[in-house]
C-alpha cells in the first residue's frame, strides 16, 4: 500500500509538472539526435570516400593501361615503366604485371623485382579473382584488409590491352588508403569531439535550466496557496460581515436611545468607540472582499454617463468633520468651462475619492487639502493636493503596492491597511482611467485621477 501510494504521488507530481517530463525528454532526445546524425553523416562520408577511392584506383589502372598499350609484348619495357612509376606514386604499394600461361598467371614485371617469375599460386592474390577479371575483361577493385592490420587498401585487377584492344597481360595493383584514412580519421575525431562538447554543453544548459523548473514548481505551489488564501479571505470576510452589521446596528440603537436608557457620559463614550471600531472593521472587510474580487476577476463595474462634480462635492463634505478637527482648510474647485460628464461607476468612483481624499486628510497634520477638477481634450482630471508629510521617491515607487504603508515616525499613529490605494488603482483602471502621484517629502503630495469623458 505504501509503495502504491508513493507511485501514485510520483505520477501526480509528473502530471502536475509536465515541464519536468519535457526536460528529461529533451536531455535524452537532443543528444541522441546529435549522436545519430553524426553517425549517419560519418557513415555516408566513409561510403563517399570509399567510392571516390574506388573510382580513382580504376582510373589509375586505366592510365597505366594507356601508358603500356604499346609495351605489353616487352617485359623489360614494362619493368622500366614500373620503376619510373614507383618514383612518382607513393600510394601504389604493389604493381604487378602478369602474363597468362595455360591456366596460371606468371609475374613478368613488379615493384618487387625478386618476385618476378612467380606464378599466381605463389602470389598474395586470389587466383580465382584474377581469372574472373581476365575472363570478364573488366577492372575489378575491392577493399582488402591486411592480415594483422586495421588499415585497408584497394586491390585492383585489370586486363591490359594493346593498341588493337587485345588482352595481353593482367595488372594487379595495391592502392594504399593510408593518407586518406589518416585525414578521414582526423576529421571524424574532430567531429566526434565537437559532438561530445555539444552534448556536454546541452546537458549543462538543461541542468542549469532545471532551476527554472524548480521555480516553475514553486510558482505553481504559490499560485495554489494564493488561490487558497483568496478563498479563505472571501469566506472569512463574508462570515465576518453578519456579526459586524449586528454590532453596528445595536451600537447605533443604543446611541439613539441613550436618553431613555439613562446612559451616562462614560457609557455613551464606550458605545461610540464600539460603533467607530465596527465601522473600521466593516471598511477592512470590504477592502479584503474587494481585493479577493479583483484578484479573481469578479469585480463588477456598472459604467454609466454620470456628472462627476456632484460626487466630488458630496465626498468632500463627508470629510469636513475630520478636517475641522485638525483645523485643515478643505476646498474644491471646478475650473470654468470644464466638462464633467464621465463614463464611470458612481459608487466605485466615490470609493476611489474617499480613499484618496481620506489619505490626504490623514497624512496632513496642518495646512490644507484642495480638490481641483477640470477637463482637457477627451479626459476629466481630478487632482487632490495636500500640504502633508509627503514622501521620498523610493516610497512613491511602492505607494500603489498591495499592503504597502510608509513607515516613519510621522505615520506611527495613523491607522490603515495599505490596501486603499491599491484597490483605487484597480478600480480606476477598470473605468479606463489612470492614477498617478507626485510628492516631495515634508512639502506635500498631489494625486491625479484621469478618466475618459463621456462620448
Amino acid at each position: 500500500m505504501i509503495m502504491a501510494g508513493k507511485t501514485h504521488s510520483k505520477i501526480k507530481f509528473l502530471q502536475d509538472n509536465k515541464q519536468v517530463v519535457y526536460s528529461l525528454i529533451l536531455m535524452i532526445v537532443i543528444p541522441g539526435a546529435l549522436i545519430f546524425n553524426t553517425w549517419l553523416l560519418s557513415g555516408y562520408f566513409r561510403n563517399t570516400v570509399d567510392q571516390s577511392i574506388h573510382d580513382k584506383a580504376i582510373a589509375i589502372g586505366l592510365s597505366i593501361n594507356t601508358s603500356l598499350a604499346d609495351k605489353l609484348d616487352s617485359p623489360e619495357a614494362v619493368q622500366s615503366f614500373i620503376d619510373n612509376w614507383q618514383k612518382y606514386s607513393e600510394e601504389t604499394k604493389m604493381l604487378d604485371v602478369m602474363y597468362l600461361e595455360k591456366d596460371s598467371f606468371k609475374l613478368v614485371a613488379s615493384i618487387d623485382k625478386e618476385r618476378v617469375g612467380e606464378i599466381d599460386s605463389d602470389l598474395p592474390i586470389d587466383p580465382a579473382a584474377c581469372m574472373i577479371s581476365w575472363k570478364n575483361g573488366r577492372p575489378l577493385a575491392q577493399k582488402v584488409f591486411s592480415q594483422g592490420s586495421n588499415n585497408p587498401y584497394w586491390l585492383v585487377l585489370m586486363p591490359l590491352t594493346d593498341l588493337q584492344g587485345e588482352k595481353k597481360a593482367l595488372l594487379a595493383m595495391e592502392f594504399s588508403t593510408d593518407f586518406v584514412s589518416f585525414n578521414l580519421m582526423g576529421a571524424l575525431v574532430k567531429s566526434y569531439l565537437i559532438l561530445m562538447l555539444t552534448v556536454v554543453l546541452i546537458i549543462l544548459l538543461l541542468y542549469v535550466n532545471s532551476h527554472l523548473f524548480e521555480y516553475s514548481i514553486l510558482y505553481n505551489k504559490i499560485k495554489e496557496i494564493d488561490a487558497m488564501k483568496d478563498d479563505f479571505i472571501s469566506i472569512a470576510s463574508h462570515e465576518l460581515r453578519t456579526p459586524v452589521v449586528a454590532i453596528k446596528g445595536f451600537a447605533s440603537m443604543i446611541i439613539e436611545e441613550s436618553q431613555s436608557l439613562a446612559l451616562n457620559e462614560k457609557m455613551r463614550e464606550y458605545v461610540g468607540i464600539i460603533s467607530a471600531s465596527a465601522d473600521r472593521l466593516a471598511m477592512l472587510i470590504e477592502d479584503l472582499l474587494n481585493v479577493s474580487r479583483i484578484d479573481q476577476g469578479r469585480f463588477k463595474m456598472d459604467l454609466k454617463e454620470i456628472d462627476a462634480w456632484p460626487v466630488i462635492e458630496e465626498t468632500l463634505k463627508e470629510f469636513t468633520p475630520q478636517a475641522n478637527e485638525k483645523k485643515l482648510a478643505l476646498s474644491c474647485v471646478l475650473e470654468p468651462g470644464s466638462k464633467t460628464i464621465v463614463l464611470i461607476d458612481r459608487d466605485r468612483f466615490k470609493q476611489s475619492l474617499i480613499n484618496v481624499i481620506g489619505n490626504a486628510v490623514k497624512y496632513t497634520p496642518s495646512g490644507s487639502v484642495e480638490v481641483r477638477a477640470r477637463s482637457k481634450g477627451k479626459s476629466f482630471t481630478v487632482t487632490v493636493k495636500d500640504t502633508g508629510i509627503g514622501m521620498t521617491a523610493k516610497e512613491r515607487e511602492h505607494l500603489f503596492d498591495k499592503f504597502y504603508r510608509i513607515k516613519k515616525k510621522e505615520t506611527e499613529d495613523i491607522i490603515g491597511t495599505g490596501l486603499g490605494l491599491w484597490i483605487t488603482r484597480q478600480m480606476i483602471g477598470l473605468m479606463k482611467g489612470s492614477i498617478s502621484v507626485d510628492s516631495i517629502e515634508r512639502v506635500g503630495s498631489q494625486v491625479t485621477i484621469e478618466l475618459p469623458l463621456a462620448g
Side-chain angles (χ1 to χ4, degrees), residues 164-213:
Q164 287 73 39
E166 184 180 347
K167 292 187 288 186
K168 290 290 187 177
L170 181 70
L171 172 69
M173 178 179 63
E174 285 185 3
F175 186 75
S176 175
T177 62
D178 289 349
F179 178 75
V180 176
S181 297
F182 177 78
N183 289 323
L184 176 62
M185 185 57 65
L188 289 176
V189 167
K190 290 178 183 177
S191 176
Y192 282 118
L193 286 175
I194 293 171
L195 171 65
M196 290 174 62
L197 180 62
T198 304
V199 170
V200 170
L201 288 175
I202 289 172
I203 292 173
L204 287 175
L205 180 63
L206 291 171
Y207 174 75
V208 171
N209 286 345
S210 65
H211 292 296
L212 296 177
F213 299 135

Short mmCIF file of all heavy atoms in Angstrom, two decimals, residues 164-213:
data_model
loop_
_atom_site.label_atom_id
_atom_site.label_comp_id
_atom_site.label_asym_id
_atom_site.label_seq_id
_atom_site.Cartn_x
_atom_site.Cartn_y
_atom_site.Cartn_z
N GLN A 164 45.34 -2.57 -80.26
CA GLN A 164 44.23 -3.14 -81.02
C GLN A 164 43.09 -3.62 -80.10
O GLN A 164 42.09 -4.16 -80.57
CB GLN A 164 44.71 -4.31 -81.88
CG GLN A 164 45.53 -3.89 -83.09
CD GLN A 164 46.93 -3.42 -82.69
OE1 GLN A 164 47.53 -4.02 -81.79
NE2 GLN A 164 47.44 -2.41 -83.37
N GLY A 165 43.25 -3.46 -78.77
CA GLY A 165 42.23 -3.89 -77.83
C GLY A 165 42.30 -5.34 -77.46
O GLY A 165 41.39 -5.88 -76.83
N GLU A 166 43.41 -6.00 -77.80
CA GLU A 166 43.55 -7.42 -77.47
C GLU A 166 44.20 -7.55 -76.10
O GLU A 166 45.16 -6.85 -75.76
CB GLU A 166 44.43 -8.10 -78.52
CG GLU A 166 44.56 -9.61 -78.31
CD GLU A 166 45.44 -10.26 -79.37
OE1 GLU A 166 45.74 -9.59 -80.40
OE2 GLU A 166 45.83 -11.40 -79.16
N LYS A 167 43.64 -8.46 -75.28
CA LYS A 167 44.19 -8.68 -73.93
C LYS A 167 45.58 -9.28 -74.02
O LYS A 167 45.77 -10.31 -74.66
CB LYS A 167 43.27 -9.59 -73.12
CG LYS A 167 41.94 -8.95 -72.77
CD LYS A 167 41.12 -9.81 -71.84
CE LYS A 167 40.57 -11.03 -72.58
NZ LYS A 167 39.64 -11.81 -71.74
N LYS A 168 46.52 -8.65 -73.34
CA LYS A 168 47.90 -9.11 -73.38
C LYS A 168 48.44 -9.50 -72.00
O LYS A 168 49.30 -10.38 -71.89
CB LYS A 168 48.80 -8.02 -73.95
CG LYS A 168 48.59 -7.76 -75.43
CD LYS A 168 49.11 -8.94 -76.24
CE LYS A 168 49.06 -8.64 -77.73
NZ LYS A 168 49.62 -9.74 -78.53
N ALA A 169 47.96 -8.82 -70.96
CA ALA A 169 48.50 -9.07 -69.62
C ALA A 169 47.43 -8.71 -68.59
O ALA A 169 46.38 -8.15 -68.92
CB ALA A 169 49.77 -8.25 -69.41
N LEU A 170 47.73 -9.06 -67.33
CA LEU A 170 46.83 -8.74 -66.21
C LEU A 170 47.59 -7.85 -65.23
O LEU A 170 48.69 -8.19 -64.80
CB LEU A 170 46.35 -10.02 -65.51
CG LEU A 170 45.38 -9.79 -64.35
CD1 LEU A 170 44.02 -9.31 -64.89
CD2 LEU A 170 45.19 -11.07 -63.53
N LEU A 171 46.96 -6.73 -64.88
CA LEU A 171 47.56 -5.81 -63.91
C LEU A 171 47.01 -6.11 -62.53
O LEU A 171 45.80 -6.24 -62.35
CB LEU A 171 47.24 -4.35 -64.30
CG LEU A 171 47.65 -3.29 -63.27
CD1 LEU A 171 49.17 -3.17 -63.20
CD2 LEU A 171 47.04 -1.94 -63.62
N ALA A 172 47.90 -6.24 -61.55
CA ALA A 172 47.49 -6.38 -60.15
C ALA A 172 48.14 -5.23 -59.37
O ALA A 172 49.36 -5.12 -59.35
CB ALA A 172 47.92 -7.72 -59.59
N MET A 173 47.31 -4.38 -58.76
CA MET A 173 47.84 -3.19 -58.09
C MET A 173 47.20 -3.04 -56.71
O MET A 173 45.98 -3.19 -56.56
CB MET A 173 47.55 -1.95 -58.95
CG MET A 173 48.03 -0.64 -58.33
SD MET A 173 47.69 0.78 -59.40
CE MET A 173 45.91 0.76 -59.46
N GLU A 174 48.06 -2.77 -55.75
CA GLU A 174 47.57 -2.44 -54.41
C GLU A 174 47.68 -0.92 -54.24
O GLU A 174 48.77 -0.35 -54.32
CB GLU A 174 48.38 -3.15 -53.33
CG GLU A 174 48.06 -4.63 -53.21
CD GLU A 174 48.80 -5.29 -52.05
OE1 GLU A 174 49.52 -4.56 -51.32
OE2 GLU A 174 48.67 -6.51 -51.89
N PHE A 175 46.51 -0.31 -54.00
CA PHE A 175 46.45 1.14 -53.88
C PHE A 175 46.21 1.49 -52.40
O PHE A 175 45.15 1.18 -51.85
CB PHE A 175 45.32 1.68 -54.76
CG PHE A 175 45.25 3.17 -54.82
CD1 PHE A 175 46.17 3.89 -55.58
CD2 PHE A 175 44.27 3.87 -54.14
CE1 PHE A 175 46.10 5.27 -55.64
CE2 PHE A 175 44.19 5.24 -54.19
CZ PHE A 175 45.11 5.95 -54.95
N SER A 176 47.19 2.12 -51.75
CA SER A 176 47.11 2.41 -50.31
C SER A 176 46.12 3.54 -50.03
O SER A 176 46.03 4.51 -50.80
CB SER A 176 48.48 2.79 -49.78
OG SER A 176 48.38 3.19 -48.42
N THR A 177 45.40 3.41 -48.91
CA THR A 177 44.47 4.47 -48.48
C THR A 177 44.93 5.08 -47.16
O THR A 177 44.12 5.71 -46.45
CB THR A 177 43.05 3.89 -48.30
OG1 THR A 177 43.08 2.88 -47.28
CG2 THR A 177 42.53 3.30 -49.60
N ASP A 178 46.22 4.89 -46.83
CA ASP A 178 46.72 5.39 -45.54
C ASP A 178 46.52 6.89 -45.39
O ASP A 178 46.06 7.39 -44.36
CB ASP A 178 48.20 5.05 -45.37
CG ASP A 178 48.41 3.56 -45.15
OD1 ASP A 178 47.40 2.87 -44.92
OD2 ASP A 178 49.56 3.10 -45.22
N PHE A 179 46.87 7.65 -46.44
CA PHE A 179 46.78 9.10 -46.37
C PHE A 179 45.33 9.55 -46.22
O PHE A 179 44.99 10.39 -45.37
CB PHE A 179 47.39 9.72 -47.64
CG PHE A 179 47.31 11.22 -47.67
CD1 PHE A 179 48.15 11.99 -46.89
CD2 PHE A 179 46.37 11.85 -48.49
CE1 PHE A 179 48.06 13.37 -46.90
CE2 PHE A 179 46.28 13.23 -48.51
CZ PHE A 179 47.13 14.00 -47.72
N VAL A 180 44.46 8.93 -47.03
CA VAL A 180 43.04 9.29 -46.96
C VAL A 180 42.45 8.87 -45.61
O VAL A 180 41.70 9.61 -44.98
CB VAL A 180 42.26 8.63 -48.11
CG1 VAL A 180 40.77 8.89 -47.98
CG2 VAL A 180 42.78 9.13 -49.45
N SER A 181 42.82 7.66 -45.16
CA SER A 181 42.31 7.17 -43.88
C SER A 181 42.75 8.06 -42.73
O SER A 181 41.98 8.33 -41.79
CB SER A 181 42.78 5.73 -43.64
OG SER A 181 42.27 4.87 -44.61
N PHE A 182 44.02 8.51 -42.82
CA PHE A 182 44.54 9.39 -41.76
C PHE A 182 43.74 10.69 -41.70
O PHE A 182 43.33 11.13 -40.63
CB PHE A 182 46.03 9.67 -42.02
CG PHE A 182 46.63 10.61 -41.01
CD1 PHE A 182 46.99 10.16 -39.74
CD2 PHE A 182 46.83 11.95 -41.33
CE1 PHE A 182 47.55 11.03 -38.82
CE2 PHE A 182 47.39 12.82 -40.41
CZ PHE A 182 47.75 12.36 -39.16
N ASN A 183 43.52 11.30 -42.87
CA ASN A 183 42.76 12.55 -42.91
C ASN A 183 41.30 12.34 -42.51
O ASN A 183 40.69 13.16 -41.81
CB ASN A 183 42.82 13.17 -44.30
CG ASN A 183 44.20 13.73 -44.60
OD1 ASN A 183 44.85 14.27 -43.71
ND2 ASN A 183 44.65 13.61 -45.83
N LEU A 184 40.75 11.19 -42.98
CA LEU A 184 39.36 10.88 -42.63
C LEU A 184 39.22 10.67 -41.14
O LEU A 184 38.29 11.18 -40.51
CB LEU A 184 38.91 9.63 -43.39
CG LEU A 184 37.49 9.12 -43.07
CD1 LEU A 184 36.45 10.17 -43.42
CD2 LEU A 184 37.21 7.82 -43.81
N MET A 185 40.16 9.92 -40.57
CA MET A 185 40.11 9.67 -39.14
C MET A 185 40.26 10.97 -38.35
O MET A 185 39.57 11.20 -37.35
CB MET A 185 41.22 8.69 -38.73
CG MET A 185 41.15 8.27 -37.26
SD MET A 185 39.55 7.55 -36.80
CE MET A 185 39.59 6.07 -37.80
N GLY A 186 41.15 11.86 -38.81
CA GLY A 186 41.31 13.16 -38.14
C GLY A 186 40.04 13.96 -38.17
O GLY A 186 39.63 14.57 -37.17
N ALA A 187 39.38 13.98 -39.34
CA ALA A 187 38.13 14.72 -39.47
C ALA A 187 37.04 14.14 -38.58
O ALA A 187 36.28 14.86 -37.92
CB ALA A 187 37.67 14.73 -40.92
N LEU A 188 36.97 12.79 -38.53
CA LEU A 188 35.95 12.14 -37.71
C LEU A 188 36.22 12.36 -36.22
O LEU A 188 35.28 12.58 -35.44
CB LEU A 188 35.90 10.64 -38.02
CG LEU A 188 35.31 10.26 -39.39
CD1 LEU A 188 35.43 8.77 -39.61
CD2 LEU A 188 33.86 10.71 -39.48
N VAL A 189 37.50 12.31 -35.84
CA VAL A 189 37.84 12.53 -34.43
C VAL A 189 37.42 13.94 -34.01
O VAL A 189 36.83 14.15 -32.95
CB VAL A 189 39.36 12.32 -34.20
CG1 VAL A 189 39.76 12.85 -32.82
CG2 VAL A 189 39.71 10.83 -34.28
N LYS A 190 37.74 14.92 -34.87
CA LYS A 190 37.33 16.30 -34.57
C LYS A 190 35.81 16.42 -34.51
O LYS A 190 35.26 17.10 -33.63
CB LYS A 190 37.86 17.24 -35.65
CG LYS A 190 39.37 17.44 -35.60
CD LYS A 190 39.84 18.34 -36.73
CE LYS A 190 41.37 18.47 -36.71
NZ LYS A 190 41.86 19.29 -37.85
N SER A 191 35.14 15.73 -35.44
CA SER A 191 33.68 15.77 -35.46
C SER A 191 33.09 15.19 -34.18
O SER A 191 32.18 15.77 -33.59
CB SER A 191 33.16 15.01 -36.68
OG SER A 191 31.75 14.95 -36.67
N TYR A 192 33.65 14.05 -33.74
CA TYR A 192 33.14 13.43 -32.51
C TYR A 192 33.48 14.26 -31.28
O TYR A 192 32.69 14.31 -30.32
CB TYR A 192 33.69 12.01 -32.37
CG TYR A 192 32.98 11.01 -33.25
CD1 TYR A 192 33.66 10.31 -34.25
CD2 TYR A 192 31.62 10.77 -33.10
CE1 TYR A 192 33.00 9.40 -35.07
CE2 TYR A 192 30.95 9.85 -33.91
CZ TYR A 192 31.65 9.18 -34.89
OH TYR A 192 30.99 8.30 -35.69
N LEU A 193 34.65 14.92 -31.29
CA LEU A 193 35.00 15.79 -30.16
C LEU A 193 34.03 16.96 -30.07
O LEU A 193 33.57 17.33 -28.98
CB LEU A 193 36.44 16.31 -30.31
CG LEU A 193 37.55 15.30 -30.02
CD1 LEU A 193 38.91 15.91 -30.34
CD2 LEU A 193 37.51 14.85 -28.56
N ILE A 194 33.72 17.56 -31.22
CA ILE A 194 32.75 18.66 -31.24
C ILE A 194 31.38 18.17 -30.80
O ILE A 194 30.66 18.85 -30.06
CB ILE A 194 32.68 19.28 -32.66
CG1 ILE A 194 34.00 19.98 -33.00
CG2 ILE A 194 31.52 20.26 -32.77
CD1 ILE A 194 34.11 20.43 -34.43
N LEU A 195 31.02 16.93 -31.24
CA LEU A 195 29.75 16.35 -30.84
C LEU A 195 29.69 16.18 -29.33
O LEU A 195 28.71 16.55 -28.67
CB LEU A 195 29.55 15.00 -31.53
CG LEU A 195 28.36 14.17 -31.04
CD1 LEU A 195 27.05 14.87 -31.36
CD2 LEU A 195 28.39 12.78 -31.66
N MET A 196 30.77 15.62 -28.76
CA MET A 196 30.80 15.40 -27.31
C MET A 196 30.70 16.71 -26.56
O MET A 196 29.98 16.84 -25.56
CB MET A 196 32.08 14.66 -26.93
CG MET A 196 32.13 13.21 -27.40
SD MET A 196 33.73 12.43 -27.09
CE MET A 196 33.81 12.52 -25.30
N LEU A 197 31.44 17.74 -27.06
CA LEU A 197 31.39 19.05 -26.41
C LEU A 197 29.98 19.64 -26.49
O LEU A 197 29.48 20.20 -25.50
CB LEU A 197 32.40 19.99 -27.08
CG LEU A 197 32.48 21.42 -26.54
CD1 LEU A 197 32.92 21.39 -25.07
CD2 LEU A 197 33.44 22.25 -27.36
N THR A 198 29.35 19.48 -27.66
CA THR A 198 27.98 19.99 -27.82
C THR A 198 27.02 19.30 -26.88
O THR A 198 26.17 19.94 -26.24
CB THR A 198 27.52 19.79 -29.28
OG1 THR A 198 28.46 20.42 -30.17
CG2 THR A 198 26.14 20.38 -29.50
N VAL A 199 27.14 17.97 -26.78
CA VAL A 199 26.26 17.21 -25.88
C VAL A 199 26.47 17.65 -24.44
O VAL A 199 25.51 17.84 -23.68
CB VAL A 199 26.53 15.70 -26.04
CG1 VAL A 199 25.80 14.92 -24.95
CG2 VAL A 199 26.07 15.22 -27.41
N VAL A 200 27.74 17.82 -24.04
CA VAL A 200 28.03 18.26 -22.67
C VAL A 200 27.43 19.63 -22.41
O VAL A 200 26.82 19.87 -21.35
CB VAL A 200 29.56 18.28 -22.43
CG1 VAL A 200 29.88 18.97 -21.11
CG2 VAL A 200 30.12 16.86 -22.40
N LEU A 201 27.59 20.55 -23.38
CA LEU A 201 27.04 21.90 -23.22
C LEU A 201 25.51 21.86 -23.11
O LEU A 201 24.93 22.57 -22.29
CB LEU A 201 27.46 22.77 -24.39
CG LEU A 201 28.93 23.20 -24.43
CD1 LEU A 201 29.23 23.96 -25.70
CD2 LEU A 201 29.28 24.06 -23.21
N ILE A 202 24.88 21.00 -23.92
CA ILE A 202 23.42 20.90 -23.87
C ILE A 202 22.97 20.35 -22.51
O ILE A 202 22.02 20.86 -21.90
CB ILE A 202 22.90 20.00 -25.01
CG1 ILE A 202 23.07 20.71 -26.35
CG2 ILE A 202 21.43 19.62 -24.80
CD1 ILE A 202 22.77 19.85 -27.55
N ILE A 203 23.67 19.33 -22.04
CA ILE A 203 23.32 18.76 -20.73
C ILE A 203 23.51 19.79 -19.63
O ILE A 203 22.67 19.93 -18.72
CB ILE A 203 24.16 17.49 -20.46
CG1 ILE A 203 23.74 16.37 -21.43
CG2 ILE A 203 24.00 17.03 -19.02
CD1 ILE A 203 24.61 15.13 -21.35
N LEU A 204 24.63 20.54 -19.70
CA LEU A 204 24.87 21.59 -18.70
C LEU A 204 23.78 22.65 -18.77
O LEU A 204 23.30 23.13 -17.73
CB LEU A 204 26.24 22.23 -18.92
CG LEU A 204 27.46 21.37 -18.53
CD1 LEU A 204 28.75 22.08 -18.93
CD2 LEU A 204 27.47 21.08 -17.03
N LEU A 205 23.42 23.03 -20.00
CA LEU A 205 22.38 24.04 -20.17
C LEU A 205 21.06 23.56 -19.59
O LEU A 205 20.37 24.31 -18.87
CB LEU A 205 22.22 24.36 -21.66
CG LEU A 205 21.15 25.42 -22.01
CD1 LEU A 205 21.51 26.76 -21.41
CD2 LEU A 205 21.02 25.54 -23.52
N LEU A 206 20.71 22.32 -19.88
CA LEU A 206 19.46 21.78 -19.35
C LEU A 206 19.53 21.63 -17.83
O LEU A 206 18.53 21.83 -17.14
CB LEU A 206 19.15 20.42 -19.99
CG LEU A 206 18.78 20.47 -21.48
CD1 LEU A 206 18.71 19.07 -22.05
CD2 LEU A 206 17.45 21.18 -21.67
N TYR A 207 20.73 21.31 -17.33
CA TYR A 207 20.89 21.20 -15.87
C TYR A 207 20.68 22.56 -15.21
O TYR A 207 20.00 22.69 -14.19
CB TYR A 207 22.28 20.66 -15.54
CG TYR A 207 22.58 20.66 -14.05
CD1 TYR A 207 22.00 19.71 -13.21
CD2 TYR A 207 23.43 21.61 -13.50
CE1 TYR A 207 22.26 19.72 -11.85
CE2 TYR A 207 23.70 21.63 -12.15
CZ TYR A 207 23.12 20.68 -11.33
OH TYR A 207 23.38 20.70 -9.98
N VAL A 208 21.30 23.59 -15.83
CA VAL A 208 21.14 24.94 -15.28
C VAL A 208 19.68 25.37 -15.36
O VAL A 208 19.12 25.95 -14.42
CB VAL A 208 22.03 25.95 -16.05
CG1 VAL A 208 21.70 27.38 -15.65
CG2 VAL A 208 23.51 25.67 -15.76
N ASN A 209 19.05 25.06 -16.50
CA ASN A 209 17.65 25.45 -16.67
C ASN A 209 16.71 24.64 -15.79
O ASN A 209 15.54 25.00 -15.66
CB ASN A 209 17.23 25.30 -18.13
CG ASN A 209 17.82 26.37 -19.01
OD1 ASN A 209 18.30 27.38 -18.50
ND2 ASN A 209 17.78 26.19 -20.31
N SER A 210 17.23 23.55 -15.20
CA SER A 210 16.37 22.77 -14.30
C SER A 210 15.93 23.61 -13.11
O SER A 210 14.88 23.37 -12.52
CB SER A 210 17.11 21.52 -13.82
OG SER A 210 18.24 21.86 -13.03
N HIS A 211 16.77 24.64 -12.77
CA HIS A 211 16.37 25.54 -11.69
C HIS A 211 15.11 26.30 -12.06
O HIS A 211 14.29 26.62 -11.20
CB HIS A 211 17.50 26.53 -11.38
CG HIS A 211 18.71 25.86 -10.79
ND1 HIS A 211 18.69 25.24 -9.55
CD2 HIS A 211 19.97 25.71 -11.25
CE1 HIS A 211 19.89 24.75 -9.28
NE2 HIS A 211 20.68 25.02 -10.30
N LEU A 212 14.96 26.57 -13.37
CA LEU A 212 13.74 27.24 -13.82
C LEU A 212 12.53 26.35 -13.57
O LEU A 212 11.45 26.83 -13.25
CB LEU A 212 13.85 27.59 -15.31
CG LEU A 212 14.93 28.60 -15.69
CD1 LEU A 212 14.96 28.80 -17.20
CD2 LEU A 212 14.70 29.93 -15.00
N PHE A 213 12.73 25.02 -13.75
CA PHE A 213 11.63 24.10 -13.50
C PHE A 213 11.29 24.08 -12.00
O PHE A 213 10.13 23.98 -11.61
CB PHE A 213 11.99 22.69 -13.97
CG PHE A 213 12.27 22.62 -15.45
CD1 PHE A 213 13.36 21.91 -15.93
CD2 PHE A 213 11.46 23.27 -16.34
CE1 PHE A 213 13.63 21.87 -17.29
CE2 PHE A 213 11.71 23.23 -17.71
CZ PHE A 213 12.80 22.53 -18.17
#
